[in-house]
Amino acid sequence: MVLRIGVIGTGAIGQDHIHRITHSLTGGEIVAVTDVNSEQAHAVVERESLQAKVYDNGHDLIQADEVDATIVTSWGPTHEEFVLASIAAGKPVFCEKPLATTAEGCKRIVEAEMEYGKQLVQVGFMRRYDKGYRTLKQAVDNNKVGEPLMLHCAHRAPSVTNFSGDMAITDSFVHEIDVLRWLIQDDYVSTQVIQPRRTNLAEEGLQDPIIILLETKKGIRIDTEIFVNCQYGYDIQCQVVGETGIANLPEPPSLQMRSQAKLSTDILVNWKERFIEAYDVELQEWINSTVNGEVHGPSAWDGYVVAVTTDASIEAKQTGKIVPIEMPEQPAFYQDAKAEYTV
Amino acid sequence: MVLRIGVIGTGAIGQDHIHRITHSLTGGEIVAVTDVNSEQAHAVVERESLQAKVYDNGHDLIQADEVDATIVTSWGPTHEEFVLASIAAGKPVFCEKPLATTAEGCKRIVEAEMEYGKQLVQVGFMRRYDKGYRTLKQAVDNNKVGEPLMLHCAHRAPSVTNFSGDMAITDSFVHEIDVLRWLIQDDYVSTQVIQPRRTNLAEEGLQDPIIILLETKKGIRIDTEIFVNCQYGYDIQCQVVGETGIANLPEPPSLQMRSQAKLSTDILVNWKERFIEAYDVELQEWINSTVNGEVHGPSAWDGYVVAVTTDASIEAKQTGKIVPIEMPEQPAFYQDAKAEYTV
Amino acid sequence: MVLRIGVIGTGAIGQDHIHRITHSLTGGEIVAVTDVNSEQAHAVVERESLQAKVYDNGHDLIQADEVDATIVTSWGPTHEEFVLASIAAGKPVFCEKPLATTAEGCKRIVEAEMEYGKQLVQVGFMRRYDKGYRTLKQAVDNNKVGEPLMLHCAHRAPSVTNFSGDMAITDSFVHEIDVLRWLIQDDYVSTQVIQPRRTNLAEEGLQDPIIILLETKKGIRIDTEIFVNCQYGYDIQCQVVGETGIANLPEPPSLQMRSQAKLSTDILVNWKERFIEAYDVELQEWINSTVNGEVHGPSAWDGYVVAVTTDASIEAKQTGKIVPIEMPEQPAFYQDAKAEYTV
Amino acid sequence: MVLRIGVIGTGAIGQDHIHRITHSLTGGEIVAVTDVNSEQAHAVVERESLQAKVYDNGHDLIQADEVDATIVTSWGPTHEEFVLASIAAGKPVFCEKPLATTAEGCKRIVEAEMEYGKQLVQVGFMRRYDKGYRTLKQAVDNNKVGEPLMLHCAHRAPSVTNFSGDMAITDSFVHEIDVLRWLIQDDYVSTQVIQPRRTNLAEEGLQDPIIILLETKKGIRIDTEIFVNCQYGYDIQCQVVGETGIANLPEPPSLQMRSQAKLSTDILVNWKERFIEAYDVELQEWINSTVNGEVHGPSAWDGYVVAVTTDASIEAKQTGKIVPIEMPEQPAFYQDAKAEYTV
């Protein structure tokens, strides 16, 4: 059975997903697309040689009989609306981050989904599908480092432009928020933001780097450096310090060179290259589980937790205070959902 | 357009290819299978839920109208026969190594293919599709180490059973023979085999390790250690020493651990794991190029060169002498064939 | 000219220094020793075949004509007294940490030394003499990473016994306090202590690990994990994140092994082994500079800064608050003193 | 007791040894020097502030009453003469390589020493004193890799000038000849030299690199790449492949840098820096053992073995043949001599 997919939003990420579903993955077919820029939607259909209808808007696409499931890759502020419409239509939906632009929006989605009575929503946090993070999680799960006590993380990019103050949290750190709680199966209770000496190589007015300190229910402490003008490369680090040992996220494979008085391996500079395989795995597993009527990936609840943690971290950055993160208990409805993975 | 594939031989590697074409790759469909063990062929069709006809023998399968191309994964001594039959039928064929069990057999295939007038044959040397080797080739091609002068290689496996003396050459070293001349775009002119102190951990009577020394037309010297009872892991090393620097084949990615007074990464123990992605890429690219009526991978000529080099190396092992490798010039017919690859 | 040295305190560290001055270093001779345990002092003289007089107490030793300079390696609470006596006698003194057990004690030493009008005191912070830290400082000084913005450090030991709560600060972190401000030529303005999930492998009642956050005048942020029951080894990490790159303290040299499915290097388990060469360099440089009538190493002022920072960090641990570190400006008297070093 | 040393030859290496004995090491004193360039000898005495007499020639120096032991660092062709004279005088002698310029010369020294009845001669092969090689030997001795089967070595320098063809063997490989048989406690039985594609970056007419293959009595095979215009650095590699694992000579310690899209450590470019600590240890241990009337380091016999192996390797280079290395059994006289070392 082939999953017939409608894509809402044919910008960069939408085009990427259309391309990989059509050319690299199996079991899915793009049968419908829409975009506020209708011309672009038509152009994508032509360029990718899709057998797909171009719809006037997301709602019509969601309602269309030939659409089994939707992918929401439109402008962030429209996500909530289309996810809610997909739930109302009883159709599985893969929504790129953010699930909604506010914690309240996420909460409405959670409530709608629970009312519907069956999970339909998956959020596009691709790091859970990265082979490195999965290997790391496997090591943690298999007690290779004992009980985790601390995580030391870094999220670095060579440089950014048009990057406002909170985007270090909403666009960069958001990935750590999701993947780290998945990694250690724990929830956050507080957040603190430290603003180190500012690099002179950031755009005027941007505080870069920042360090975010999270505390979990179990007392695990997480420090994450977000440094988006680090110059030297795109570099994601994650170190789990446990009771008996330490595990580090693998470095991407690279030639080892001896040249010009250096023994070196390459560091990536492009974020896309870093997680390109993770995107493929993410969408393939979404197709597979959706065909089976299941959701294995990041749920609406996960998207809600991320939104609450993001809001608290922004407040922590603004106030310099340690800000509590208050979440209701995860409803039983969401507790069965587990990422199924093999490395 | 979907490539309709017939598979001759449903043993382990045949089953692997059927599974990946059906479940992981795109653009190919298994429509016919055959095996000397007819029951096994039927079982595979059922287990993989194939819409495939089971043929009595390879020749009938090759002739079948619904078969666009064949994959030969039967017992080695039958390869030549089925490859020749595919050529006679004008059908593209992917043949696992060896192309034929003798250099003469390979030569017959080369001649048949040239007479047919169009390349149809690809040989299953998967290392050319390994991301690491491709990155290494890219570095060499882009002059990152200057002109190559020496290659230091190692091919190690934890242990083997039922492994006779020449298999270190015919089954293990055969991969280096193919991939190294592809890597440096050169041809071999002599071979020498050194028999070091024997490990006590090999089966009675097996000389293990051996070191093989190859010389190329350009004078590049290649030393390869083959050590198939090295105990510690499955470990493939390739170091290119050039005029200005040195590049090493990447180590497979791994967690870095700090534990029990060691800072360590894992070494694989299973050869399948090492090249599993290469197999996927190999077959996907074969499907893609075959659909376009082209052969980009290891050609019949490459298979022939490997067979001649293998024979000379076996003689070198038996005699302890430096044995010349004499090949006719590569015909123009084969010179356009180039591996197309991106890393 | 040979420096004639008197040693006050012939316990473990005193014996080590006596041994290295007598057998490994040049330019120094032990001519006098004393210890509260007079028998032990005599035994050391005999075992090391010293031409040294055993004095009844430190004050007599300091006054002795044949003593050019003193080394204070007695019980911590006696340090202040003997350092002050050495200053009063106008004799150079090398004092193991702590300079005094209180910040006030350190301040008294600073004042006495300023009144005397010439630096005489060096404090035994050996990390400044470690080749790794010196190489790191050289990289920072030579702008290899641009302006430093953050330091991520770790100080880990396999296990401890009889270790009370504040010793993680007074005995372990104290080394980072000294070496890091020397490394970045900056001073601390605040400290915060985080208490992560406690390892179950520490002695009952001991909070282990802790994380200490320091802020400097320039805004550099330093996080240091102190984890003294980490099980896996004695491991000192220091990473300087600068505007253009990152430098890590070198790992101690080690064989690289391939064995049992691991590619590994050794991690030390014994702290003594980690800094043994640093102790040799420290004492040799102290002898050399003392003969020249100079102090190049950690000064009384440095000892005072460490004491103030230690006190503030203990308060921060007890209160959970961010505690300001208030120090007067470094007097001009101490500003000329510079560590002289070559890597 | 201080060892009173006379130095014959005050060129570069002679000056280095004088300096280290005078300023870094303990237990030795330079009391006499001589050089064909008498002015230079005087200048060294003055510059190093030695209390040393300048002799007209080596023989007078050897005979001088105040000289306990000699260091021969004169021009190579004079080594044999001065070593024989030291033996005749019954005085311990440390001779830089070569012990003599011919195997016959070495043999004469061996015979003279045996006739004298007590070992007096140590040859300056400093690698045995390198901490890395010692750690590697300790691993081999402690069975960390099982029985050694193969050694893969490389000896690379950035570039050379005025370097004639055989110097790759007599000046570079000579170090491997000595240290490798010490490492594996074995002797050589044959040698073969391979001449790979020549780098264009060597001086006109110089064959560079070469590969030398040695076989030992136990059947261990050693391949060593000598590449003295490798451009990228001074790089000494030694890998021991044993029955159960592999050990590599440690890389010199270095900062790990993240900069400009590279994760790198430094490679040395200067050979002196690589072995500077080994020279210190070598001379210190020579002083210590000489004071005890013993020889622990490379003996006259070792120097003789090196000379024979060097000659055979030069013949192998010239002829392209596998050349046998024929040595008499090591006399019992030399079998008790063992390098005493701790890492």
Side-chain angles (χ1 to χ4, degrees):
Chain A
M1 183 208 142
V2 167
L3 185 73
R4 296 170 305 168
I5 301 165
V7 175
I8 301 171
T10 59
I13 181 74
Q15 291 176 35
D16 281 356
H17 288 341
I18 288 168
H19 186 83
R20 61 171 47 92
I21 288 167
T22 307
H23 297 289
S24 304
L25 308 182
T26 60
E29 189 184 350
I30 308 299
V31 299
V33 302
T34 186
D35 197 276
V36 288
N37 178 344
S38 175
E39 260 180 63
Q40 193 196 49
H42 280 283
V44 169
V45 167
E46 188 163 352
R47 196 179 63 235
E48 298 284 339
S49 309
L50 305 178
Q51 308 282 36
K53 185 167 169 188
V54 178
Y55 281 85
D56 281 350
N57 60 67
H59 291 285
D60 289 355
L61 179 145
I62 290 165
Q63 298 303 330
D65 278 349
E66 79 274 18
V67 169
D68 298 326
T70 56
I71 291 180
V72 178
T73 46
S74 50
W75 190 43
T78 66
H79 287 187
E80 179 183 349
E81 168 189 353
F82 294 130
V83 170
L84 287 172
S86 290
I87 294 170
K91 295 191 178 177
V93 53
F94 177 95
C95 179
E96 274 302 328
K97 73 170 173 76
L99 178 57
T101 53
T102 63
E104 291 69 31
C106 293
K107 200 177 170 201
R108 281 188 291 269
I109 289 169
V110 160
E111 287 166 353
E113 192 175 41
M114 288 179 70
E115 194 170 36
Y116 179 77
K118 182 176 182 322
Q119 278 194 63
L120 293 171
V121 180
Q122 180 168 330
V123 188
F125 290 117
M126 78 293 184
R127 286 207 193 167
R128 299 191 188 191
Y129 300 89
D130 175 65
K131 197 173 172 180
Y133 274 108
R134 287 183 164 193
T135 308
L136 185 55
K137 180 160 173 51
Q138 201 174 47
V140 171
D141 290 351
N142 292 340
N143 203 34
K144 298 290 187 196
V145 296
E147 287 295 325
L149 307 176
M150 294 168 283
L151 275 66
H152 304 305
C153 307
H155 182 138
R156 303 185 188 117
S159 63
V160 292
T161 48
N162 298 318
F163 199 89
S164 71
D166 296 342
M167 287 172 70
I169 294 168
T170 58
D171 280 49
S172 305
F173 185 54
V174 69
H175 288 290
E176 268 80 15
I177 296 175
D178 180 68
V179 80
L180 298 181
R181 59 187 282 277
W182 166 82
L183 177 66
I184 54 173
Q185 298 289 313
D186 200 353
D187 265 304
Y188 308 125
V189 298
S190 78
T191 177
Q192 179 185 0
V193 176
I194 288 175
Q195 307 198 22
R197 186 181 190 187
R198 190 186 161 275
T199 177
N200 284 308
L201 303 172
E203 284 186 331
E204 186 79 23
L206 179 66
Q207 169 60 40
D208 184 39
I210 62 171
I211 297 172
I212 302 164
L213 307 173
L214 293 173
E215 183 183 2
T216 74
K217 280 189 182 165
K218 291 181 191 155
I220 298 171
R221 294 292 190 144
I222 302 169
D223 47 87
T224 304
E225 172 197 326
I226 308 284
F227 187 7
V228 294
N229 291 277
C230 80
Q231 310 299 312
Y232 74 84
Y234 183 76
D235 193 9
I236 303 299
Q237 299 284 328
C238 181
Q239 179 177 66
V240 181
V241 181
E243 287 187 329
T244 60
I246 296 179
N248 275 35
L249 190 64
E251 300 285 343
S254 163
L255 296 182
Q256 190 192 54
M257 297 283 302
R258 290 172 186 267
S259 181
Q260 297 180 299
K262 298 277 178 207
L263 176 59
S264 68
T265 49
D266 285 339
I267 295 176
L268 297 175
V269 291
N270 189 326
W271 65 270
K272 258 194 171 168
E273 210 176 327
R274 176 64 182 82
F275 289 111
I276 192 154
E277 287 177 16
Y279 282 114
D280 283 352
V281 175
E282 176 188 44
L283 269 295
Q284 184 65 65
E285 294 194 8
W286 176 70
I287 290 168
N288 296 352
S289 62
T290 302
V291 165
N292 291 333
E294 297 168 6
V295 173
H296 294 305
S299 68
W301 182 262
D302 295 326
Y304 177 36
V305 171
V306 167
V308 170
T309 308
T310 300
D311 286 356
S313 297
I314 290 171
E315 185 189 334
K317 176 161 174 281
Q318 288 164 346
T319 61
K321 301 244 168 88
I322 298 171
V323 174
I325 297 171
E326 279 152 12
M327 286 285 300
E329 274 300 301
Q330 182 168 318
F333 179 81
Y334 287 106
Q335 277 166 6
D336 298 332
K338 283 201 95 170
E340 197 173 70
Y341 67 94
T342 54
V343 176
Chain B
M1 184 209 142
V2 168
L3 185 72
R4 298 170 302 170
I5 300 165
V7 175
I8 301 171
T10 57
I13 180 74
Q15 290 176 34
D16 281 355
H17 288 342
I18 287 168
H19 186 83
R20 63 171 46 92
I21 288 167
T22 307
H23 297 289
S24 304
L25 309 181
T26 61
E29 188 185 350
I30 308 299
V31 298
V33 300
T34 185
D35 196 277
V36 289
N37 178 344
S38 175
E39 259 179 64
Q40 192 195 51
H42 280 283
V44 170
V45 167
E46 187 163 353
R47 196 180 63 233
E48 298 284 338
S49 308
L50 306 177
Q51 307 282 33
K53 185 168 170 189
V54 178
Y55 282 85
D56 281 350
N57 60 68
H59 292 284
D60 289 355
L61 178 146
I62 290 166
Q63 298 302 330
D65 278 351
E66 80 273 18
V67 169
D68 297 327
T70 55
I71 290 179
V72 177
T73 45
S74 48
W75 190 42
T78 67
H79 288 188
E80 179 182 350
E81 169 190 350
F82 294 129
V83 171
L84 287 172
S86 291
I87 294 171
K91 295 191 177 176
V93 53
F94 176 94
C95 179
E96 274 302 327
K97 76 170 170 75
L99 177 57
T101 53
T102 63
E104 291 69 31
C106 292
K107 198 176 171 202
R108 280 189 292 269
I109 289 169
V110 161
E111 286 166 354
E113 191 176 41
M114 289 179 71
E115 196 169 36
Y116 179 78
K118 183 175 182 323
Q119 280 193 62
L120 294 171
V121 180
Q122 179 167 331
V123 188
F125 290 118
M126 78 293 185
R127 286 206 193 167
R128 299 191 189 193
Y129 299 88
D130 175 64
K131 198 173 173 181
Y133 275 108
R134 286 182 164 192
T135 307
L136 185 57
K137 180 160 174 51
Q138 201 174 49
V140 171
D141 291 351
N142 292 342
N143 203 34
K144 298 291 187 196
V145 296
E147 288 294 326
L149 307 176
M150 293 167 285
L151 274 67
H152 303 305
C153 307
H155 181 139
R156 302 185 189 118
S159 63
V160 291
T161 46
N162 297 320
F163 199 88
S164 70
D166 295 342
M167 288 172 69
I169 295 169
T170 57
D171 279 49
S172 305
F173 186 53
V174 69
H175 288 291
E176 268 80 15
I177 295 175
D178 180 68
V179 82
L180 297 181
R181 61 187 281 276
W182 166 83
L183 177 66
I184 55 173
Q185 297 289 313
D186 200 352
D187 266 305
Y188 307 125
V189 297
S190 77
T191 178
Q192 178 185 0
V193 176
I194 288 174
Q195 307 199 21
R197 186 182 190 186
R198 190 185 162 276
T199 177
N200 283 308
L201 303 172
E203 285 186 333
E204 186 80 21
L206 179 66
Q207 169 60 40
D208 184 41
I210 63 171
I211 297 173
I212 301 164
L213 307 173
L214 292 173
E215 182 182 3
T216 74
K217 279 190 181 163
K218 291 179 189 157
I220 298 169
R221 294 292 190 144
I222 302 168
D223 47 87
T224 304
E225 173 198 325
I226 308 285
F227 188 9
V228 293
N229 290 279
C230 81
Q231 309 299 313
Y232 75 82
Y234 183 77
D235 193 8
I236 303 299
Q237 300 284 327
C238 181
Q239 180 178 65
V240 181
V241 181
E243 286 186 329
T244 60
I246 296 179
N248 276 35
L249 189 65
E251 300 285 344
S254 163
L255 295 183
Q256 189 191 54
M257 297 283 302
R258 289 172 188 267
S259 182
Q260 295 180 301
K262 300 277 177 205
L263 175 58
S264 68
T265 50
D266 285 340
I267 296 176
L268 297 175
V269 290
N270 189 326
W271 66 269
K272 258 194 171 168
E273 210 176 328
R274 175 65 181 82
F275 288 111
I276 193 152
E277 287 177 18
Y279 282 113
D280 284 351
V281 176
E282 176 187 45
L283 269 295
Q284 185 65 66
E285 293 194 10
W286 176 70
I287 290 169
N288 296 352
S289 62
T290 300
V291 165
N292 291 332
E294 296 168 6
V295 173
H296 293 306
S299 68
W301 181 263
D302 295 327
Y304 177 36
V305 170
V306 167
V308 170
T309 307
T310 300
D311 286 355
S313 297
I314 291 172
E315 184 189 333
K317 176 159 174 280
Q318 288 164 346
T319 62
K321 300 243 167 89
I322 298 172
V323 173
I325 296 171
E326 277 151 14
M327 285 286 299
E329 273 300 300
Q330 181 168 320
F333 179 81
Y334 286 106
Q335 277 166 8
D336 299 334
K338 285 200 92 171
E340 199 172 66
Y341 67 94
T342 54
V343 174
Chain C
M1 182 208 143
V2 168
L3 186 72
R4 297 171 302 171
I5 301 166
V7 176
I8 301 171
T10 57
I13 180 74
Q15 291 176 34
D16 282 353
H17 287 342
I18 288 168
H19 186 82
R20 61 171 48 92
I21 287 168
T22 307
H23 297 288
S24 304
L25 309 182
T26 61
E29 189 184 349
I30 307 299
V31 298
V33 301
T34 185
D35 197 274
V36 288
N37 178 345
S38 175
E39 259 180 63
Q40 193 194 51
H42 280 283
V44 169
V45 167
E46 187 165 353
R47 194 179 65 233
E48 298 284 338
S49 309
L50 305 178
Q51 308 282 34
K53 184 167 172 190
V54 179
Y55 282 84
D56 281 351
N57 59 67
H59 292 285
D60 290 354
L61 179 147
I62 291 166
Q63 299 302 329
D65 278 349
E66 80 272 19
V67 169
D68 298 325
T70 55
I71 291 181
V72 177
T73 45
S74 50
W75 189 43
T78 66
H79 288 189
E80 180 184 349
E81 169 190 352
F82 294 128
V83 171
L84 287 172
S86 292
I87 294 170
K91 295 193 178 176
V93 54
F94 177 95
C95 179
E96 275 302 326
K97 74 170 172 75
L99 178 57
T101 53
T102 64
E104 291 68 31
C106 294
K107 200 177 169 202
R108 281 188 291 268
I109 288 170
V110 160
E111 287 166 353
E113 190 176 43
M114 289 178 71
E115 195 170 34
Y116 178 77
K118 182 174 182 323
Q119 279 193 63
L120 294 171
V121 180
Q122 178 167 330
V123 188
F125 289 117
M126 78 293 185
R127 286 207 194 167
R128 298 191 188 193
Y129 300 88
D130 175 64
K131 198 173 173 180
Y133 274 108
R134 287 183 164 192
T135 307
L136 185 57
K137 180 159 173 52
Q138 200 175 49
V140 171
D141 289 352
N142 292 341
N143 204 33
K144 298 291 188 197
V145 298
E147 288 294 327
L149 307 175
M150 294 168 284
L151 274 67
H152 304 306
C153 307
H155 181 138
R156 303 184 187 118
S159 64
V160 291
T161 48
N162 298 320
F163 200 88
S164 71
D166 294 343
M167 287 172 69
I169 294 169
T170 57
D171 279 50
S172 306
F173 185 54
V174 68
H175 288 290
E176 267 80 16
I177 295 175
D178 179 69
V179 81
L180 299 181
R181 62 186 280 277
W182 165 82
L183 178 66
I184 55 175
Q185 297 289 312
D186 200 353
D187 265 305
Y188 307 125
V189 298
S190 78
T191 178
Q192 179 185 0
V193 176
I194 289 175
Q195 307 198 23
R197 185 183 192 187
R198 189 186 161 277
T199 178
N200 284 307
L201 304 172
E203 285 185 331
E204 186 79 21
L206 178 66
Q207 169 59 41
D208 184 41
I210 63 171
I211 297 172
I212 302 164
L213 306 174
L214 293 172
E215 183 182 3
T216 74
K217 279 190 182 163
K218 292 181 189 155
I220 298 171
R221 294 292 190 144
I222 301 168
D223 48 86
T224 304
E225 172 198 326
I226 308 286
F227 187 10
V228 293
N229 290 279
C230 80
Q231 310 297 313
Y232 75 83
Y234 183 76
D235 193 9
I236 303 299
Q237 299 284 328
C238 181
Q239 179 177 66
V240 181
V241 182
E243 285 186 330
T244 60
I246 296 178
N248 275 35
L249 189 64
E251 299 285 344
S254 162
L255 296 183
Q256 190 191 55
M257 297 283 303
R258 291 171 187 268
S259 181
Q260 297 180 301
K262 299 278 177 205
L263 176 58
S264 68
T265 49
D266 285 339
I267 295 176
L268 296 176
V269 290
N270 190 325
W271 66 269
K272 258 195 172 167
E273 209 177 329
R274 175 65 181 84
F275 289 111
I276 192 153
E277 288 177 17
Y279 282 113
D280 284 351
V281 176
E282 178 189 43
L283 269 295
Q284 183 67 66
E285 294 194 9
W286 176 70
I287 290 169
N288 297 351
S289 62
T290 300
V291 165
N292 292 331
E294 296 168 7
V295 173
H296 293 307
S299 68
W301 181 262
D302 294 327
Y304 178 35
V305 171
V306 167
V308 171
T309 308
T310 301
D311 286 355
S313 297
I314 290 172
E315 183 188 335
K317 177 160 174 279
Q318 287 164 346
T319 61
K321 300 244 168 90
I322 298 171
V323 173
I325 296 170
E326 278 151 14
M327 286 285 298
E329 273 300 299
Q330 182 168 320
F333 179 81
Y334 287 106
Q335 276 165 8
D336 298 333
K338 282 201 95 168
E340 198 172 67
Y341 67 93
T342 54
V343 175
Chain D
M1 183 207 144
V2 168
L3 186 71
R4 297 170 302 168
I5 301 166
V7 175
I8 302 172
T10 58
I13 180 74
Q15 291 176 35
D16 281 355
H17 288 341
I18 288 168
H19 185 84
R20 61 171 47 92
I21 287 168
T22 308
H23 297 289
S24 303
L25 308 182
T26 61
E29 189 186 350
I30 308 299
V31 298
V33 301
T34 186
D35 197 276
V36 288
N37 179 342
S38 173
E39 262 180 61
Q40 194 195 49
H42 280 283
V44 170
V45 167
E46 188 163 353
R47 197 181 62 234
E48 299 284 340
S49 309
L50 304 178
Q51 308 281 36
K53 183 166 172 191
V54 178
Y55 282 84
D56 281 348
N57 59 67
H59 292 285
D60 289 355
L61 179 145
I62 291 166
Q63 297 303 328
D65 278 351
E66 79 272 19
V67 169
D68 297 326
T70 56
I71 291 181
V72 177
T73 46
S74 50
W75 189 43
T78 66
H79 288 188
E80 180 183 349
E81 170 189 350
F82 295 129
V83 170
L84 286 172
S86 291
I87 294 170
K91 294 192 178 176
V93 53
F94 177 93
C95 180
E96 273 302 326
K97 75 170 173 73
L99 178 58
T101 54
T102 63
E104 290 70 30
C106 293
K107 201 177 168 199
R108 280 188 291 270
I109 290 170
V110 161
E111 287 165 354
E113 191 175 41
M114 288 178 71
E115 196 169 34
Y116 179 78
K118 182 175 182 322
Q119 279 194 63
L120 294 171
V121 180
Q122 179 167 331
V123 189
F125 290 117
M126 78 291 185
R127 286 206 193 168
R128 298 191 188 192
Y129 300 88
D130 175 64
K131 197 173 173 180
Y133 275 108
R134 288 183 164 194
T135 308
L136 185 56
K137 181 160 172 51
Q138 201 174 48
V140 171
D141 290 352
N142 292 341
N143 204 33
K144 297 292 188 197
V145 296
E147 287 294 326
L149 307 176
M150 294 169 284
L151 275 67
H152 305 304
C153 307
H155 182 137
R156 302 184 189 118
S159 63
V160 291
T161 48
N162 298 319
F163 199 88
S164 70
D166 295 342
M167 287 171 68
I169 294 169
T170 57
D171 279 50
S172 305
F173 186 53
V174 68
H175 288 290
E176 267 80 14
I177 295 176
D178 180 67
V179 81
L180 298 181
R181 60 187 280 278
W182 166 81
L183 178 65
I184 55 174
Q185 297 289 314
D186 200 354
D187 266 304
Y188 307 125
V189 298
S190 77
T191 178
Q192 178 185 1
V193 176
I194 288 174
Q195 308 199 21
R197 187 181 190 187
R198 190 184 161 276
T199 176
N200 284 307
L201 302 172
E203 284 186 333
E204 187 80 22
L206 179 67
Q207 169 60 40
D208 184 40
I210 63 170
I211 297 172
I212 301 164
L213 307 174
L214 292 173
E215 183 182 2
T216 74
K217 279 189 183 166
K218 291 182 190 153
I220 297 170
R221 295 292 192 145
I222 302 169
D223 47 88
T224 304
E225 174 198 324
I226 309 285
F227 187 9
V228 293
N229 290 279
C230 81
Q231 311 299 313
Y232 75 83
Y234 183 76
D235 194 7
I236 303 299
Q237 299 284 326
C238 182
Q239 179 178 67
V240 181
V241 181
E243 286 187 329
T244 60
I246 295 179
N248 275 34
L249 190 65
E251 300 285 343
S254 163
L255 295 183
Q256 189 191 56
M257 297 283 301
R258 291 171 186 268
S259 181
Q260 296 180 301
K262 299 276 178 207
L263 176 59
S264 68
T265 49
D266 285 340
I267 295 175
L268 297 175
V269 290
N270 189 326
W271 66 269
K272 258 194 172 168
E273 210 176 327
R274 176 64 181 84
F275 288 111
I276 193 152
E277 287 176 16
Y279 282 114
D280 284 352
V281 176
E282 177 189 43
L283 269 295
Q284 185 65 67
E285 293 194 8
W286 176 70
I287 291 169
N288 297 351
S289 61
T290 300
V291 165
N292 291 331
E294 297 169 5
V295 172
H296 294 306
S299 68
W301 182 262
D302 294 327
Y304 176 35
V305 170
V306 167
V308 170
T309 307
T310 300
D311 287 355
S313 297
I314 290 172
E315 183 189 334
K317 177 161 173 280
Q318 288 165 348
T319 62
K321 300 245 168 85
I322 299 171
V323 173
I325 296 171
E326 278 151 12
M327 286 287 298
E329 272 300 301
Q330 182 168 321
F333 179 81
Y334 287 106
Q335 276 166 8
D336 297 334
K338 283 200 94 170
E340 198 171 69
Y341 66 93
T342 54
V343 176

